[in-house]
Amino acid sequence: MYRNLSRRSFAALTASAMAVTALPFGAAALTVDEARDLVSKLIGEINGVINSGRSEAAMIDNFETIFSLYADVDYIALSALGPAGRQANDGQKKAFRAAFQKYLARKYGKRFREFIGGTIEVKDARPLKSFFEVVSTATLKGQRPFEVRWHVFAKSGKNRFFNIIIEGVNMLAAERSEIGALLDANKGDIGKLTAAMKG
């Protein structure tokens, strides 16, 4: 899934990259050290979960808690929903956001479970226009180390990550593509999309 991007995913990646660089500079009301500290704490939580020996279900519950604390889930959810999000009412957005948070925890929780027995370490951090990028290295047993990049801002007034790039695959772009496809499959009905995501 992460190594084979469709044309739609590639197009979404480009669109997401353009959207990110267009964010107002005021969204980055934090320092590079604060961004690095946030991701260091986040990675500490993730390392604790992946090496805890807990069941997959328990790990996914843990990851949902971690994402709710460290991720700007509202921003990620609306980005994934795309133009349809601008037409949704508050009730639809709230229901979608709740379903999306669980979906995100299941999907990326399973991805991070592949890191069991390994470690993730922060290596660098730098400003990128209106946000900060924190670079970490994942070291897994029997595999070559690879980068996991975290994009951090304070758009909501709190320091949060809003994107992850794992082995070159951009989360915002991939989710916009996948959620867009699910929305198309449900004929643009956000209620049906939300119900499908709970399954």
Side-chain angles (χ1 to χ4, degrees), residues 8 13 39 49 58 66 83 87 123 143 149 157 162 179 199:
R8 181 170 186 164
L13 188 155
V39 175
V49 172
I66 290 170
Q87 301 169 8
K123 296 296 184 182
Q143 296 187 35
R149 294 174 177 261
F162 67 95
I179 297 302

Side-chain angles (χ1 to χ4, degrees), residues 10 20 22-23 25 30 41 78-79 86 115 140 152 155 158 167 183:
F10 181 79
V20 165
L23 290 170
F25 186 76
L30 75 162
K41 290 178 179 177
L78 286 176
S79 175
R86 293 192 287 272
F115 295 14
L140 281 60
V152 179
K155 185 178 176 67
K158 296 180 180 180
E167 295 187 276
L183 187 61

Side-chain angles (χ1 to χ4, degrees), residues 130-143:
S130 56
F131 63 96
F132 292 93
E133 181 176 71
V134 181
V135 182
S136 63
T137 298
T139 304
L140 281 60
K141 290 183 178 179
Q143 296 187 35

Side-chain angles (χ1 to χ4, degrees), residues 27-31 34-35 38 69-72 152-161:
L30 75 162
T31 68
E34 288 172 336
L38 174 78
L69 291 173
Y70 290 93
D72 191 330
V152 179
F153 62 14
K155 185 178 176 67
S156 66
K158 296 180 180 180
N159 300 345
R160 294 288 187 267
F161 83 84

Side-chain angles (χ1 to χ4, degrees), residues 27-68:
L30 75 162
T31 68
V32 68
D33 287 338
E34 288 172 336
R36 185 181 185 122
D37 184 58
L38 174 78
V39 175
S40 293
K41 290 178 179 177
L42 165 61
I43 286 175
E45 299 260 17
I46 292 173
N47 282 331
V49 172
I50 63 179
N51 294 306
S52 66
R54 299 182 185 126
S55 67
E56 179 176 296
M59 283 190 180
I60 288 173
D61 284 344
N62 292 151
F63 281 124
E64 183 177 355
T65 299
I66 290 170
F67 287 147
S68 70

Side-chain angles (χ1 to χ4, degrees), residues 2-24:
Y2 289 89
R3 302 179 186 277
N4 297 297
L5 286 174
S6 65
R7 288 183 180 178
R8 181 170 186 164
S9 294
F10 181 79
L13 188 155
T14 303
S16 292
M18 292 175 65
V20 165
T21 56
L23 290 170

